[in-house]
Amino acid sequence: SFWLGDLMLVREKLLPCFPPSMAILDFFVLTYHRNFHHVLQQAMSKKMSPAAILYVLGWIRQYQEDLST
């Protein structure tokens, strides 16, 4: 997924450029999480087909699994 690749890039390339006190990786993870939450809230506020709801639920599950790796 694009966001996981982005976070890996942050971890590998940007993290060494910042002091640990800035928690730059945590900042990027939180920023992605907030944006995904906002997009999902907007999507769920509209009438969705059952297939679309199942897709969103599957995506959320995959997102959570990817975050835990």
Side-chain angles (χ1 to χ4, degrees):
S1 61
F2 73 92
W3 63 270
L4 192 54
D6 288 352
L7 293 177
M8 297 299 281
L9 181 67
V10 168
R11 187 175 77 183
E12 293 169 7
K13 301 293 183 181
L14 290 180
L15 195 60
C17 299
F18 291 87
S21 62
M22 292 192 71
I24 195 72
L25 184 59
D26 292 342
F27 169 78
F28 275 89
V29 169
L30 183 59
T31 299
Y32 270 102
H33 184 72
R34 286 180 177 160
N35 286 320
F36 289 146
H37 182 262
H38 178 73
V39 168
L40 288 173
Q41 274 188 320
Q42 286 182 325
M44 299 304 284
S45 70
K46 299 177 175 121
K47 184 157 176 74
M48 297 175 68
S49 69
I53 293 169
L54 289 174
Y55 177 83
V56 169
L57 290 173
W59 186 90
I60 291 169
R61 186 174 66 180
Q62 185 63 51
Y63 171 72
Q64 290 173 332
E65 287 177 14
D66 290 345
L67 273 180
S68 67
T69 59

